[in-house]
Amino acid sequence: MASSQEDCKQPPPQDESQRCAKERFHRIYAELIVETNATAEDISSGQVAIKAVQHMKSNRPVPKYFAGTPLSLEVVKAIDEAALPCEEGDAELDEEMVGTQVAQLFGDFFHLCTALKARPGEPVTAEDANFDTQRFDRLLDTAPAEALDSSLEVLGVLVDAILSQGCDELAASPPKLRAVLLMLGHRGLQDPTNFEILKKILELASRLHAVPSARDTLVRWYSALPLEVLDHHLAQVNQLVTLSLMDAQFACECSNTTSVEEGMEIAKYDNCALHVRYALRLMDMLWRANKQRQARNQDWRNRRKAQRLHQQGEALEDESLSFLPFAQFHNDAINECEGILKHDLKEILEMQHTGKPFPNPEEKLRKDYGIIECAFVLTAVSKVRMLSIELLLMQREEVRAAMVMQATLSGARTSPFLVLKVRRNAIMEDTLQQLALYDAQAYKKPLKVVFDGEEALDEGGVKKEFFQLLVEELFKEDFGMFERIEESRNIWFNK
């Protein structure tokens, strides 16, 4: 990767000055080709070079990410040709040559931006990544295993360079942002031995997720690409989350996965919580894209079109209308470890109690896994469990606060419970009247019910009977909240 712009700030010797000028020219030249979708005619006529010189004279900032070496458009052409399907009679591709081209693709930012376009003459936009996924897959299928391994190494170096330079220019430019799609498609990232490189790319994706325009562009691209791309990237990230959590549990010798302390230990091990957060943010973009695909699938216009074609004996063939089952976004390792769920709830409640913003804008200060932001990884059972845990924690906090107030303020009588004293023959009226006397904070206290004129202690049985009587009263037709539908013999809200 080329040296940073700061290298050229100090007055260098003449040879060094010329080197810096050439490097700057090549970076500007590469960016102009990418951003303007320059044609071969524009390049051969020298128009792009003239614009690059003009940009140099205007003292505009040197573009990031591009190498400061002369470009070879023949490399891009060779990559595209290697990905073409072989026809009968064609000579077999040289595996060594294909391996070289794969390494050139993943080791150079310019190649990731310009190679393997579905429509070479058209630009990359925020609506269309112009990415030929079939040719991309064919190229990787043809490459030998050694070439894939070596291309991963140069990809890791490239991602490190992008992270060190900052993602602002990447997030602001769809033609540059396209490179991230190709990075995530590398087959070698499925191998757990290459997870360190995948973690770097996920950090890059996490930074882009924080920029709404970049996040929305990636979401639109994923919603339009073939469904197997979405499926492949989701499975890849889900696997990393699962294996990272399992490795951390094994390393921490966790015997009680329901303990919040175990959740904290897992979070600290090898920055596990941080890497899970990065992964969940990419999954969030995939989730949003899947929701868009589902919305298109259920749009009445597409449904009507499909019905008409079905009547003609045809099927609606539109890849963008297919979507993944949402259960596919669930992560078993997260759902099966209650300590992780408790840990995230504890972190959030502590932030709320201290008045800190959630999520904390300072990424390094966060200790949670990011599960609350990305609840799509949870099953319905886990969501109910988290709500129950949250309710229990809030009730304990309210009881503690009431007892502290009673102990510190002499003469103050503050009940740690929300007490309802009701008459059996006016249970609805008494309940509504008494609930109106309490503020919202009191609703977090544990509930105690007393029936007027009865001395029974509420140890659970009285409260259960209270709700049974209350529900019976609610469903009475003379109360007016519900009505009976004779056709279906069901009860529904009264219109």
Side-chain angles (χ1 to χ4, degrees):
M1 206 62 194
S3 59
S4 63
Q5 184 178 355
E6 284 73 14
D7 295 340
C8 302
K9 287 185 176 179
Q10 298 297 327
Q14 187 174 2
D15 290 346
E16 184 68 11
S17 178
Q18 290 178 352
R19 185 193 65 80
C20 286
K22 288 180 180 179
E23 181 180 301
R24 188 177 175 212
F25 171 82
H26 292 309
R27 288 189 178 188
I28 295 172
Y29 186 70
E31 184 184 54
L32 283 171
I33 293 176
V34 170
E35 294 288 358
T36 64
N37 192 41
T39 63
E41 184 180 346
D42 294 333
I43 296 170
S44 61
S45 66
Q47 292 182 24
V48 179
I50 293 171
K51 287 183 181 179
V53 173
Q54 290 173 346
H55 283 213
M56 288 184 67
K57 292 180 178 178
S58 65
N59 290 322
R60 293 174 61 173
V62 179
K64 299 177 180 179
Y65 321 133
F66 296 103
T69 54
L71 298 178
S72 175
L73 298 177
E74 291 300 318
V75 173
V76 177
K77 183 179 178 182
I79 293 171
D80 289 342
E81 290 178 350
L84 290 172
C86 293
E87 297 182 2
E88 189 175 350
D90 289 348
E92 291 188 6
L93 290 171
D94 184 346
E95 284 193 358
E96 184 177 348
M97 182 64 70
V98 173
T100 301
Q101 289 158 357
V102 169
Q104 290 173 329
L105 172 65
F106 286 102
D108 192 290
F109 186 74
F110 176 78
H111 298 155
L112 288 170
C113 295
T114 54
L116 301 172
K117 287 188 175 181
R119 297 167 302 282
E122 297 181 19
V124 175
T125 67
E127 305 295 330
D128 180 16
N130 197 1
F131 176 30
D132 193 331
T133 56
Q134 291 184 345
R135 290 167 66 189
F136 178 77
D137 290 340
R138 195 177 297 117
L139 180 69
L140 296 184
D141 289 340
T142 311
E146 299 80 8
L148 290 176
D149 291 340
S150 61
S151 65
L152 265 179
E153 293 179 12
V154 294
L155 176 59
V157 174
L158 177 61
V159 176
D160 280 334
I162 294 173
L163 290 171
S164 66
Q165 294 176 59
C167 302
D168 51 334
E169 292 184 14
L170 185 65
S173 167
K176 294 177 182 175
L177 190 61
R178 176 184 184 268
V180 178
L181 281 181
L182 278 72
M183 292 178 186
L184 285 164
H186 197 296
R187 300 284 175 77
L189 297 175
Q190 302 174 33
D191 188 341
T193 60
N194 297 321
F195 275 179
E196 289 306 313
I197 297 174
L198 178 56
K199 288 175 182 178
K200 295 176 183 178
I201 301 175
L202 292 176
E203 180 181 355
L204 179 61
S206 176
R207 293 191 191 182
L208 294 170
H209 182 275
V211 183
S213 60
R215 180 196 64 207
D216 294 344
T217 296
L218 286 168
V219 168
R220 282 192 294 269
W221 288 349
Y222 273 119
S223 72
L225 287 170
L227 187 64
E228 54 261 29
V229 175
L230 191 73
D231 189 16
H232 166 69
H233 291 190
L234 175 61
Q236 187 170 265
V237 179
N238 235 335
Q239 179 184 235
L240 179 137
V241 172
T242 299
L243 294 181
S244 296
L245 291 173
M246 290 176 64
D247 287 347
Q249 289 179 33
F250 179 78
C252 297
E253 299 180 353
C254 297
S255 56
N256 180 14
T257 55
T258 64
S259 164
V260 67
E261 289 77 16
E262 297 284 13
M264 293 173 64
E265 287 300 315
I266 295 170
K268 294 175 184 177
Y269 177 78
D270 196 25
N271 284 325
C272 186
L274 177 67
H275 295 306
V276 169
R277 256 196 333 270
Y278 290 159
L280 292 187
R281 285 173 189 152
L282 176 60
M283 288 179 67
D284 178 61
M285 290 189 277
L286 300 176
W287 166 267
R288 292 169 187 248
N290 203 49
K291 290 283 286 183
Q292 288 187 8
R293 300 175 81 107
Q294 182 197 38
R296 282 199 296 266
N297 178 277
Q298 297 177 350
D299 185 88
W300 67 270
R301 289 177 288 262
N302 289 321
R303 284 180 173 272
R304 178 177 293 179
K305 186 177 179 181
Q307 288 174 353
R308 288 174 179 172
L309 289 171
H310 181 70
Q311 291 170 357
Q312 299 170 9
E314 301 177 14
L316 177 59
E317 296 181 1
D318 188 344
E319 180 69 31
S320 68
L321 299 182
S322 57
F323 62 95
L324 299 174
F326 289 105
Q328 206 161 320
F329 287 82
H330 297 163
N331 184 274
D332 292 340
I334 291 176
N335 285 286
E336 292 172 3
C337 185
E338 189 172 313
I340 291 175
L341 306 182
K342 289 179 178 178
H343 169 72
D344 265 29
L345 270 178
K346 172 180 171 293
E347 289 295 321
I348 290 168
L349 292 175
E350 283 183 358
M351 286 188 219
Q352 292 175 345
H353 183 69
T354 56
K356 294 179 180 178
F358 175 80
N360 194 324
E362 292 293 332
E363 187 71 49
K364 294 181 180 179
L365 298 179
R366 291 184 62 171
K367 301 176 183 177
D368 63 297
Y369 295 89
I371 297 170
I372 306 301
E373 292 174 78
C374 304
F376 50 78
V377 297
L378 300 175
T379 62
V381 173
S382 294
K383 290 176 182 177
V384 171
R385 192 188 315 162
M386 288 194 78
L387 289 173
S388 300
I389 295 170
E390 182 182 15
L391 177 61
L392 180 62
L393 292 173
M394 287 193 298
Q395 286 181 345
R396 287 178 178 175
E397 178 61 25
E398 287 301 314
V399 170
R400 186 194 65 79
M403 294 177 68
V404 169
M405 183 177 292
Q406 190 167 343
T408 54
L409 299 177
S410 57
R413 295 184 60 82
T414 303
S415 173
F417 301 100
L418 191 156
V419 181
L420 295 179
K421 187 175 182 179
V422 296
R423 296 167 293 172
R424 287 181 178 271
N425 59 353
I427 189 168
M428 183 64 69
E429 180 182 354
D430 289 354
T431 300
L432 292 174
Q433 286 180 354
Q434 291 185 49
L435 286 176
L437 299 176
Y438 290 103
D439 58 16
Q441 200 67 19
Y443 294 152
K444 298 178 182 179
K445 295 179 179 180
L447 177 65
K448 290 283 186 181
V449 178
V450 177
F451 285 111
D452 189 35
E454 301 180 20
E455 297 182 358
L457 295 175
D458 186 1
E459 295 181 353
V462 176
K463 186 162 55 181
K464 180 180 178 181
E465 185 183 4
F466 164 76
F467 280 112
Q468 288 175 339
L469 294 173
L470 194 65
V471 170
E472 288 178 11
E473 193 71 23
L474 280 172
F475 280 96
K476 285 183 179 179
E477 290 189 39
D478 57 357
F479 185 71
M481 180 174 285
F482 297 94
E483 63 177 348
R484 183 180 299 276
I485 302 173
E486 296 299 334
E487 293 83 359
S488 60
R489 296 184 179 181
N490 291 328
I491 294 176
W492 194 246
F493 293 102
N494 196 337
K495 298 178 182 178

